[in-house]
Amino acid sequence: DVKVTQSSRYLVKRTGEKVFLECVQDMDHENMFWYRQDPGLGLRLIYFSYDVKMKEKGDIPEGYSVSREKKERFSLILESASTNQTSMYLCASMGGILGANVLTFGAGSRLTVL
Amino acid sequence: AQSVTQLGSHVSVSEGALVLLRCNYSSSVPPYLFWYVQYPNQGLQLLLKYTSAATLVKGINGFEAEFKKSETSFHLTKPSAHMSDAAEYFCAVTSTGFQKLVFGTGTRLLVSP
């Protein structure tokens, strides 16, 4: 019954490495999101996409980019990882009418940058 | 600008006791309000949502929340805590569209036997 799948649950990378976080949803949702979760800060929106090849910056886009080449897949890219990007990353999707506002989340990808 | 404040980063209750998790919001227009729950090593899942229909909203697992406009609150309650309720709970608000969903900082619920 998995609906939003994040391919990597745990990653350890070195400073300066390029990091790809992959997210796939099987609900044919138009909208997909990447959040970052840190203790005491809650969830903060990095980027979202409302259609294939479309993207919008969220509240903390610096140091990140995204790619959405297919409707079901939304990738988060860290061009040059830094230690302050050590965090839990959550992907989510949302479909239906605009008023639904209900997000379906993946299990998360915990990234450690050394 | 909209925002949400969750009072208490940790709440401890005994099994069978009342659960009360507090959420206050700030919004210049009528909001949509949500509670999400995150169990250990999992993503968030929706508990319940308020979308300007009934002010008392019932969710999954026996949780409910009441929208009080005069107090700008949307507190989450459950009459009797169960060990399986131990998790982190997030309140969220939006009034300007889905891309502006703003989350609180979360409250971790601890349930002791």
Side-chain angles (χ1 to χ4, degrees):
Chain A
D1 191 36
V2 175
K3 295 183 171 63
V4 179
T5 303
Q6 295 183 232
S7 55
S8 301
R9 291 297 307 273
Y10 301 93
L11 303 92
V12 179
K13 299 292 181 180
R14 296 198 178 276
T15 300
E17 280 192 84
K18 191 169 186 176
V19 181
F20 291 88
L21 300 181
E22 303 286 342
C23 175
V24 176
Q25 52 98 359
D26 62 3
M27 296 169 287
D28 201 35
H29 283 172
E30 293 82 9
N31 310 295
M32 297 188 73
F33 305 78
W34 275 105
Y35 286 89
R36 173 175 170 161
Q37 181 182 9
D38 298 288
L41 296 178
L43 276 71
R44 294 177 291 168
L45 181 63
I46 305 172
Y47 268 97
F48 68 96
S49 169
Y50 52 89
D51 201 352
V52 175
K53 297 190 185 295
M54 306 303 290
K55 60 184 179 184
E56 293 285 346
K57 294 180 179 179
D59 298 318
I60 53 164
E62 295 78 19
Y64 303 95
S65 63
V66 291
S67 173
R68 191 156 181 213
E69 297 296 318
K70 294 185 177 181
K71 188 176 185 179
E72 67 270 18
R73 187 180 298 271
F74 191 36
S75 302
L76 180 68
I77 303 155
L78 288 67
E79 293 289 341
S80 179
S82 63
T83 55
N84 63 12
Q85 292 178 308
T86 291
S87 187
M88 170 70 87
Y89 291 89
L90 293 170
C91 176
S93 71
M94 185 174 70
I97 61 173
L98 193 64
N101 284 318
V102 175
L103 295 166
T104 300
F105 283 87
S109 298
R110 185 169 294 281
L111 172 66
T112 301
V113 182
L114 302 176
Chain B
Q2 55 192 0
S3 65
V4 63
T5 301
Q6 292 185 241
L7 296 174
S9 59
H10 291 79
V11 169
S12 295
V13 299
S14 299
E15 194 171 20
L18 171 71
V19 175
L20 171 60
L21 304 182
R22 299 178 186 274
C23 173
N24 288 89
Y25 70 90
S26 172
S27 176
S28 57
V29 297
Y32 294 149
L33 292 156
F34 305 80
W35 277 98
Y36 283 84
V37 60
Q38 185 179 33
Y39 298 104
N41 298 316
Q42 296 185 28
L44 281 70
Q45 58 182 273
L46 182 70
L47 264 182
L48 50 81
K49 64 178 180 178
Y50 167 75
T51 56
S52 74
T55 56
L56 182 63
V57 182
K58 294 187 183 298
I60 61 172
N61 301 335
F63 284 92
E64 63 182 34
E66 186 172 8
F67 172 70
K68 292 187 176 181
K69 184 178 179 181
S70 60
E71 300 177 8
T72 61
S73 69
F74 190 58
H75 301 331
L76 182 70
T77 60
K78 182 175 181 178
S80 177
H82 192 272
M83 296 294 289
S84 61
D85 294 327
E88 189 155 23
Y89 293 80
F90 292 90
C91 183
V93 63
T94 184
S95 56
T96 58
F98 63 88
Q99 65 269 37
K100 296 299 184 184
L101 189 64
V102 175
F103 285 85
T105 53
T107 298
R108 185 167 298 279
L109 177 66
L110 307 169
V111 183
S112 56

